[in-house]
Amino acid sequence: MDNNKIQPSLLDKLKAHAASGSIPMHMPGHKRNIALLGTDLPYNIDITEIEGFDNLHGASGILNEYMDEIADFYGTKRSFYLVNGSTCGILAGIRAATKRGGKIAVARNCHKSIYHAIELFGLESVYLMPEMDASFGIHGGISTASIADTLTKHPDTQLVVLTSPTYEGVVNDIAAIAAICHGHGIPLMVDEAHGSHFNYSEHFPTSATALGADIVIQSLHKTLPALTMTSLAHLNGSLIRQEEMSRQLAIFESSSPSYVLMASIDRCFRLLRDEGEQLFENYNQRLTDFSKKMKQLQYLKVLCHGDDSLDAHKTFFAFDQGKILISAQGTGLTGQELSETLRNDHHIEMEMAYGDHALAMTSVCDTDAAMATLADALLAIDSTLDSEAGENASNDVTLIFALPEKQCEIWQALESEKAVCPLDQAEGQTAAESVWAYPPGIPLLVPGERINDGFIRQIHTLLEKGTKVYSDADGLPKNIRIMQQEILAH
């Protein structure tokens, strides 16, 4: 690692090139002309694949060296820069691990990009349903027993895909799940987009990169100090060929990768490699102090903070304490109203609000003052509540907890003849579009699934609570696209 520490950063190399006086007769078209364009944007370090700066898709020079540094530190077989976000890594990983028309087992609470892969590659989907956490009304973990049972029933499965941690911070038993998958000769892919910080501190759950997962996708920009769209893809084991993963990334990632974004990846890694221990110690202390303050809450609840603990959630294997999920269930407040109060009265912008919940995302970059302000704001709001206010409040579930009946594959539904149907008359019909709340981007209904009364009530509940619901055709809340039933009859 001593040699790595004296290796110039990508940002330093870009700055040196900008100061060299080299005349850019190449892309990009701004030509680093800051006299004309100013310095508000980093034009002077935004370059293309010129001599001395390597090529991400076929890296053999400095970019290859930088990715090797990350692989050495993370203990992976190979690590890849991603500048199209985690989505391109998910698409590439699924394509590298499956054959067109093959079978894939996926957690039903996966991000919509995984469903897009199923559509694009004509895959047959088998869904793994997370258990329900009744106390907070969220998805818990996926049991190892359900995965073992699924792979026994579907031995031709080509890949298992899980999300861990979830948007709310729930972590699965990746080591045990990887062992089950490998016992069947099947690779495991973990969407660890929200867990890129796991590699840097023992105060957080262990990363899937160290627990046997074959493909791990991480969004640096979600929980680490890196620019938006920066991510990493990691390979381990021998079940996925490195050259095929590289080939697929060249398909799904931009052929003109941003050096500004790659410099952000490199800078983030170097900062945490060299200073991460102290940064995460300070971060952990802020979270510990926050959690202690949350013990004073009377009506609001914070998942696995304050008086709530991991022991109270039997479906969780572990939990990411950096996620602060606030439940307003039974208070008369919706998650949207809670979020608006925090914004308007306390100048705090939350990550997400849906149903009865609001979510704060934290990182090593949050200050003592910011964390104290959030804690004080929650205590102030809590002091305005009383038990009578929530006696008649709706506590309806706003996430999917029962697996919808699958009528056909996603791609079949999307390529079928479609009709527009009023939502309240759609019970029993088969969806020909996806429906989701964003964030977190988990489909409530995917094409090919039967629409039931529970789904219709779920949509109305979300809308009543101020949560925006999306669909491919953007017809909600009035209409939904369905398959023409004669197509199904054939």
Side-chain angles (χ1 to χ4, degrees):
M1 295 302 295
D2 289 341
N3 290 335
N4 288 337
K5 289 185 178 180
I6 63 173
Q7 164 94 334
S9 71
L10 181 55
L11 181 58
D12 287 339
K13 287 178 176 286
L14 290 168
K15 286 181 176 179
H17 180 73
S20 70
S22 172
I23 298 173
M25 291 300 172
H26 55 75
M27 298 185 294
H30 56 66
K31 299 303 183 99
R32 306 199 308 275
N33 188 340
I34 58 175
L36 173 65
L37 300 170
T39 58
D40 290 337
L41 294 174
Y43 295 109
N44 61 332
I45 60 168
D46 183 30
I47 64 170
T48 189
E49 295 88 350
I50 58 177
E51 181 65 28
F53 284 89
D54 208 359
N55 185 331
L56 183 61
H57 302 302
S60 60
I62 60 169
L63 296 182
N64 187 60
E65 293 170 7
Y66 291 145
M67 290 188 287
D68 280 347
E69 284 187 41
I70 290 178
D72 288 343
F73 184 87
Y74 282 52
T76 60
K77 180 179 178 181
R78 180 62 172 169
S79 294
F80 302 90
Y81 281 1
L82 303 179
V83 295
N84 280 32
S86 286
T87 293
C88 72
I90 285 170
L91 293 171
I94 293 176
R95 189 68 186 104
T98 61
K99 295 180 180 179
R100 183 172 299 278
K103 185 177 290 185
I104 183 172
V106 303
R108 185 56 180 79
N109 61 331
C110 279
H111 186 263
K112 62 180 182 177
S113 59
I114 291 163
Y115 295 90
H116 292 161
I118 293 170
E119 171 195 347
L120 289 172
F121 313 142
L123 300 174
E124 178 183 350
S125 56
V126 177
Y127 295 125
L128 301 161
M129 200 64 195
E131 297 182 83
M132 177 180 177
D133 181 78
S135 62
F136 266 72
I138 64 171
H139 293 126
I142 294 177
S143 72
T144 53
S146 70
I147 292 176
D149 182 61
T150 295
L151 297 186
T152 298
K153 290 179 179 177
H154 301 275
D156 54 342
T157 297
Q158 296 176 1
L159 177 67
V160 173
V161 182
L162 301 178
T163 298
S164 181
T166 65
Y167 205 54
E168 297 85 4
V170 179
V171 176
N172 285 291
D173 188 352
I174 298 301
I177 292 169
I180 293 169
C181 293
H182 296 162
H184 290 264
I186 298 170
L188 171 65
M189 175 173 163
V190 177
D191 176 358
E192 199 173 74
H194 284 271
S196 59
H197 54 299
F198 286 4
N199 295 88
Y200 292 97
S201 175
E202 62 183 12
H203 295 302
F204 293 87
T206 303
S207 170
T209 57
L211 295 174
D214 301 274
I215 307 174
V216 181
I217 309 298
Q218 298 176 324
S219 290
L220 299 182
H221 69 96
K222 284 184 168 62
T223 60
L224 293 179
L227 292 175
T228 298
M229 292 182 70
T230 56
S231 298
L232 295 173
H234 306 281
L235 285 188
N236 278 309
S238 59
L239 294 177
I240 307 296
R241 291 186 298 117
Q242 179 180 320
E243 59 269 25
E244 184 59 20
M245 183 68 176
S246 296
R247 190 178 79 85
Q248 294 299 334
L249 282 173
I251 294 172
F252 292 103
E253 189 165 25
S254 172
S255 59
S256 300
S258 166
Y259 276 83
V260 175
L261 295 181
M262 289 189 284
S264 174
I265 293 174
D266 180 55
R267 187 173 190 179
C268 173
F269 168 65
R270 288 168 184 272
L271 172 67
L272 297 179
R273 181 195 63 190
D274 299 339
E275 303 178 36
E277 183 176 356
Q278 188 59 56
L279 288 171
F280 274 93
E281 282 297 324
N282 296 342
Y283 179 29
N284 178 65
Q285 188 60 55
R286 293 184 196 107
L287 291 171
T288 299
D289 293 344
F290 171 84
S291 191
K292 287 179 181 177
K293 287 185 177 180
M294 293 302 93
K295 289 181 179 293
Q296 301 173 46
L297 291 174
Q298 297 295 311
Y299 305 107
L300 297 174
K301 296 187 298 181
V302 183
L303 184 63
C304 292
H305 288 280
D307 287 331
D308 191 64
S309 68
L310 180 62
D311 292 339
H313 303 276
K314 301 304 181 184
T315 68
F316 297 9
F317 176 75
F319 180 76
D320 172 14
Q321 64 167 331
K323 303 295 189 301
I324 297 176
L325 182 71
I326 305 145
S327 171
Q329 289 176 331
T331 68
L333 278 181
T334 67
Q336 188 65 39
E337 290 168 341
L338 174 60
S339 182
E340 289 173 357
T341 300
L342 287 166
R343 178 188 305 115
N344 296 332
D345 297 348
H346 302 277
H347 308 291
I348 297 171
E349 190 67 47
M350 300 295 279
E351 163 69 17
M352 175 268 294
Y354 66 87
D356 295 318
H357 301 91
L359 178 69
M361 297 269 287
T362 68
S363 80
V364 295
C365 292
D366 285 302
T367 63
D368 292 347
M371 292 299 297
T373 298
L374 175 60
D376 293 343
L378 292 176
L379 291 173
I381 294 170
D382 188 74
S383 70
T384 67
L385 305 174
D386 61 70
S387 57
E388 294 182 3
E391 284 182 355
N392 299 315
S394 169
N395 231 7
D396 287 354
V397 167
T398 52
L399 293 176
I400 177 175
F401 288 110
L403 188 63
E405 184 181 350
K406 181 174 140 184
Q407 301 297 296
C408 65
E409 298 303 329
I410 292 173
W411 62 270
Q412 292 173 317
L414 289 171
E415 294 178 6
S416 72
E417 294 296 323
K418 305 173 185 68
V420 175
C421 179
L423 177 63
D424 290 332
Q425 299 175 26
E427 184 177 358
Q429 303 294 330
T430 300
E433 64 175 336
S434 292
V435 177
W436 68 95
Y438 194 89
I442 297 167
L444 304 170
L445 189 74
V446 299
E449 290 181 338
R450 186 183 293 276
I451 301 167
N452 57 37
D453 178 63
F455 167 77
I456 296 172
R457 286 188 288 107
Q458 178 185 42
I459 297 301
H460 287 308
T461 298
L462 283 166
L463 294 171
E464 289 167 3
K465 292 178 182 291
T467 302
K468 175 66 175 174
V469 180
Y470 300 84
S471 64
D472 294 331
D474 202 27
L476 289 174
K478 184 178 180 181
N479 297 319
I480 188 169
R481 279 197 300 194
I482 61 173
M483 293 180 65
Q484 291 189 4
Q485 292 302 299
E486 60 265 25
I487 301 298
L488 287 175
H490 294 359

